[in-house]
């Protein structure tokens, strides 16, 4: 997610804001910018790339003023360019806005603004807010912002200044974190306390749909109706390292906790206003090209490959198209049969994985269409594809992927529904119904995350485990693979995932008394068969750890440990079953004293073959 700093006080704002942005660099970003309000009015500077690019441009300039806003952007709408970097301004150049999140109804808002003569100068959703402020401002910036927030849909943190009110910053939040820094004769806002703890450790959290008025002499918080909301400040006793992780011990803990928002943001804004039709982020294929597809081939590596396997079940179920899922590193060397009526889906968090890139290039050389599912706007994979659907998990710092993978799962369901919609194998009502089922999942993940302490205790009891097996059926099988991969890459445990039906064809020989076996067994038509598999391994002494659906007593007699997940449509279960396995592996790694964020031998993006 983006980094945000706002300052009002007696110091020159530029250096305070830049220092805050430097401390937020850990969040990952691909452009940066600042605005300062002073005697010379509003001045803005922003650059694509790293902060050093911005500082280079600023080295020749003075931006005097004691009110400033800064932003480090992780691109979601529009590539990382100077024009798309924040702050964004209105037509008059009096309003500066920085934003974190996704405004899901921005296209409708943009259309209205352009009809009313506003000139749009970026690809971003954020710029809409600057023009709305310009239009509605009547001398009361807080009231203007409250009015605009009521018309926005999606997740956002907004920080806004107006040249006509030089001592005031107004901020607002929905679904994403915003925190106030309370100083002596100066005050701050930030996306997390890292932005300002060099200046003050007195902070106050901003709650849902609250609007903050920040002045040098004090801070006022109101609800969207303008009623003042009293709140408690707290003392930040974290050091900088802990602050960057939001108080968590590892980035992985923070990123696991961010998964509900990663799914919510990835699903958000996919349905057009009115018709409620699904659309992709970028598409240079015609609808006819999509209708002419005869086969789908998914290419990816590692966890992204596992997301692709889940995507196979969804696409085949909803589109009746044959889907192959291929390890990208193997794809082009087997001289695959692909052509103009093949849709290749390249899944890559980084968008720079060499194996996936080379496979994509081979597919294109065979005239296949390529759809990219990636978390990185402007990445090579996205630029070399005919269509793109962005996951909106935000930057992922921990090497082992969690929130990016769960966002990929959500994206693959969207791809499946999009293809079904275009090809007519599901009507608009069915697509909307499935999207509604998906949009209910983030709240289920949030609830599930509150139940993880028993899973952590279980993990600690496995600290000496040398081998763990994972079993699943249907969409549980890709999750068995993902659970095994997480345990391998985080805790360095020899772990394998199998289709549960495969266990008796050899792997059952691995079972010894006490061998931990994780069986992914949420409510499913194949439940009876899975219970047989649990009995098979238990009869040979396995320690059975069963992931089951709330209220399902059928597995209890055969489970040494039961991890319950909320009930969800069986095809969507991976969005929930993945969570306890992430927590299990992260906790086991922690119990073993390992570096959960930077496991040995691994790189975040494997840019070599
Ligand atoms: C995920 O936990 C792993 N670190 C790794 O398997 C990763 O999924 C794989 O390298 C693919 O990366 P990509 O999604 O950036 O292409």
């Amino acid at each position: 997610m983006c980094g945000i700093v706002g300052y009002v006080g007696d110091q020159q704002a530029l250096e305070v804001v830049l220092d805050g942005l430097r401390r937020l660099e850990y969040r990952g970003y691909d452009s940066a910018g600042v605005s300062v309000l002073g005697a010379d009015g509003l001045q803005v500077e922003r650059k694509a790339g790293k902060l050093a690019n911005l500082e280079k441009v600023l080295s020749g300039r003075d931006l005097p003023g004691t009110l400033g806003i800064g932003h480090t952007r992780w691109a979601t709408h529009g590539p990382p360019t100077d024009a798309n970097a924040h702050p964004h301004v209105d037509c008059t150049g009096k309003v500066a806005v920085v934003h974190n999140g996704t405004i899901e109804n921005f296209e409708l808002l943009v259309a209205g603004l352009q009809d009313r003569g506003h000139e749009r100068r970026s690809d971003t959703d954020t710029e809409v807010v600057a023009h709305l402020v310009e239009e509605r401002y009547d001398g009361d910036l807080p009231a203007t912002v409250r009015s605009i927030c009521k018309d926005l849909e999606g997740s956002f943190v907004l920080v806004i200044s107006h040249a006509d009110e030089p001592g005031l910053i107004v901020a607002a939040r929905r679904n994403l974190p915003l925190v106030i820094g309370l100083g002596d004769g100066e005050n701050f806002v930030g996306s997390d306390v890292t932005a300002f703890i060099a200046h003050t450790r007195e902070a106050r959290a901003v709650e849902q749909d609250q609007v903050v008025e920040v002045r040098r002499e004090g801070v006022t918080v109101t609800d969207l109706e303008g009623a003042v909301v009293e709140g408690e400040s707290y003392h930040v006793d974290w050091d900088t390292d802990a602050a960057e992780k939001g108080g968590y011990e590892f980035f992985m803990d923070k990123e696991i906790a961010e998964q509900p928002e990663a799914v919510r943001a990835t699903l958000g804004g996919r349905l057009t206003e009115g018709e409620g039709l699904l659309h992709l982020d970028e598409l240079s294929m015609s609808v006819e090209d999509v209708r002419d597809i005869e086969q789908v081939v998914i290419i990816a590596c590692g966890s992204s490959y596992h997301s692709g396997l889940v995507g196979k079940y969804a696409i085949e179920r909803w589109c009746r198209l044959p889907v192959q899922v291929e390890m990208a590193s193997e794809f082009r060397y087997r001289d695959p049969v692909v052509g103009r009526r093949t849709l290749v889906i390249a899944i890559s968090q980084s968008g720079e994985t060499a194996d996936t890139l080379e496979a994509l290039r081979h597919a294109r050389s065979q005239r296949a269409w390529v759809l990219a599912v990636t978390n990185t706007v402007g990445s090579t994979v996205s630029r070399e594809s005919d269509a793109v659907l962005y996951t909106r998990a935000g930057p992922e710092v921990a090497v082992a992927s969690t929130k990016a993978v769960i966002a990929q799962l959500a994206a693959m369901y969207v791809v499946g529904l999009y293809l079904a919609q275009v090809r007519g194998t599901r009507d608009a009502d069915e697509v909307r119904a499935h999207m509604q089922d998906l949009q209910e999942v983030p709240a289920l993940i949030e609830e599930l995350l509150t139940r993880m302490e028993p899973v952590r205790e279980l993990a600690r009891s496995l600290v000496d485990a040398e081998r763990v097996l994972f079993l699943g059926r249907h969409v549980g099988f890709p999750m068995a693979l993902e659970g095994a991969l997480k345990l391998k890459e985080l805790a360095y445990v020899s772990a394998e995932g199998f289709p549960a039906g495969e266990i008796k064809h050899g792997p059952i020989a691995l079972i010894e008394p006490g061998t931990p076996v994780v069986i992914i067994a949420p409510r499913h038509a194949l439940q009876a068969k899975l219970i047989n598999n649990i009995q098979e391994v238990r009869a040979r002494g396995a320690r059975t750890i069963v992931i089951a659906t709330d209220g399902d007593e059928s597995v209890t007699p055969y489970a040494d440990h039961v991890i319950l997940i909320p009930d969800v449509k069986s095809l969507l279960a991976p969005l929930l079953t993945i969570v306890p396995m992430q927590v299990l592996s992260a906790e086991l790694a922690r119990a073993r004293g390992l570096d959960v964020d930077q496991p040995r031998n691994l790189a975040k993006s494997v840019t070599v073959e």
Side-chain angles (χ1 to χ4, degrees), residues 162-447:
H162 195 298
D164 292 353
E165 296 191 59
L168 171 66
I169 284 177
V170 178
R173 68 143 292 195
R174 182 178 297 159
N175 290 335
L176 290 171
L178 176 68
V179 62
I180 300 164
L182 300 164
D184 180 6
E186 58 183 14
N187 292 296
F188 307 76
V189 283
S191 33
D192 67 53
V193 296
T194 316
F196 54 70
I197 57 171
H199 302 274
T200 179
R201 287 181 171 271
E202 286 312 301
R204 175 181 169 182
V206 181
E207 305 301 337
Q208 191 77 327
D209 279 331
Q210 290 184 344
V211 175
V212 187
E213 302 169 30
V214 185
R215 298 176 177 86
R216 66 172 296 282
E217 59 274 7
V219 173
T220 301
V221 179
T222 71
D223 61 20
L224 290 187
E225 302 313 317
V228 173
V229 179
E230 297 304 331
E232 296 298 316
S233 65
Y234 61 91
H235 183 77
V236 180
D237 50 15
W238 295 334
D239 60 23
T240 302
D241 181 55
E244 289 180 355
K245 302 182 180 80
Y248 292 100
E249 183 180 1
F250 293 106
F251 279 110
M252 171 152 292
D253 302 317
K254 179 166 174 271
E255 287 157 6
I256 287 174
E258 289 173 344
Q259 294 189 114
E261 183 50 34
V263 171
R264 189 178 287 120
T266 299
L267 294 172
R270 298 293 177 199
L271 290 167
T272 55
E273 294 290 326
E275 296 171 287
L277 292 178
L278 275 173
H279 58 88
L280 301 180
D281 288 294
E282 294 170 19
L283 179 67
S284 57
M285 299 167 62
S286 72
V287 169
E288 288 68 32
D289 296 328
V290 176
R291 289 196 180 114
D292 287 347
I293 296 300
E294 284 179 339
Q295 67 164 342
V296 174
V297 179
I298 299 173
I299 54 171
C301 305
S303 293
S304 300
Y305 171 79
H306 302 149
S307 307
L309 286 171
V310 172
K312 169 188 171 72
Y313 288 90
I315 295 169
E316 290 191 339
R317 167 81 68 78
W318 290 329
C319 308
R320 307 315 297 159
L321 268 173
V323 180
Q324 300 171 62
V325 188
E326 304 259 352
M327 290 278 185
S329 54
E330 287 293 315
F331 175 71
R332 63 196 176 105
Y333 298 115
R334 67 170 182 78
D335 194 10
V337 180
V338 296
R340 198 61 181 152
R341 303 186 74 172
T342 302
L343 175 65
V344 168
I345 302 176
I347 306 175
S348 176
Q349 186 286 128
S350 62
E352 303 299 341
T353 299
D355 289 324
T356 306
L357 261 179
E358 291 308 324
L360 178 161
R361 288 166 179 160
H362 178 80
R364 295 199 66 134
S365 72
Q366 304 299 304
R367 303 183 61 242
W369 294 101
V370 178
L371 163 64
V373 174
T374 181
N375 195 43
T376 310
V377 177
S379 60
T380 308
V381 163
S382 65
R383 283 185 282 108
E384 296 191 14
S385 297
D386 302 294
V388 184
L389 188 143
Y390 288 112
T391 54
R392 296 186 189 132
E396 191 173 60
V397 177
V399 168
S401 187
T402 52
K403 65 174 185 174
V405 176
I406 205 169
Q408 287 171 351
L409 292 171
M412 290 312 293
Y413 292 121
V414 172
V415 168
L417 290 171
Y418 172 76
L419 294 175
Q421 167 188 288
V422 171
R423 299 170 59 85
T425 50
R426 285 292 184 279
D427 67 28
D429 289 341
E430 291 169 310
V431 168
R432 277 193 291 269
H434 287 306
M435 281 300 289
Q436 179 57 41
D437 291 337
L438 281 165
Q439 285 158 348
E440 291 169 4
V441 169
L444 299 179
I445 301 171
E446 277 163 354
E447 198 277 323

Side-chain angles (χ1 to χ4, degrees), residues 538-557:
R538 192 125 190 271
R540 286 152 181 88
R543 183 180 178 189
T544 53
I545 300 162
V546 182
I547 298 176
T549 301
D550 281 343
D552 180 0
E553 303 288 334
S554 65
V555 301
T556 309

Side-chain angles (χ1 to χ4, degrees), residues 476-489:
F477 163 48
M479 290 301 102
L481 296 177
E482 176 61 12
L485 176 61
K486 282 290 159 299
L487 204 55
K488 279 184 272 206
E489 60 182 345

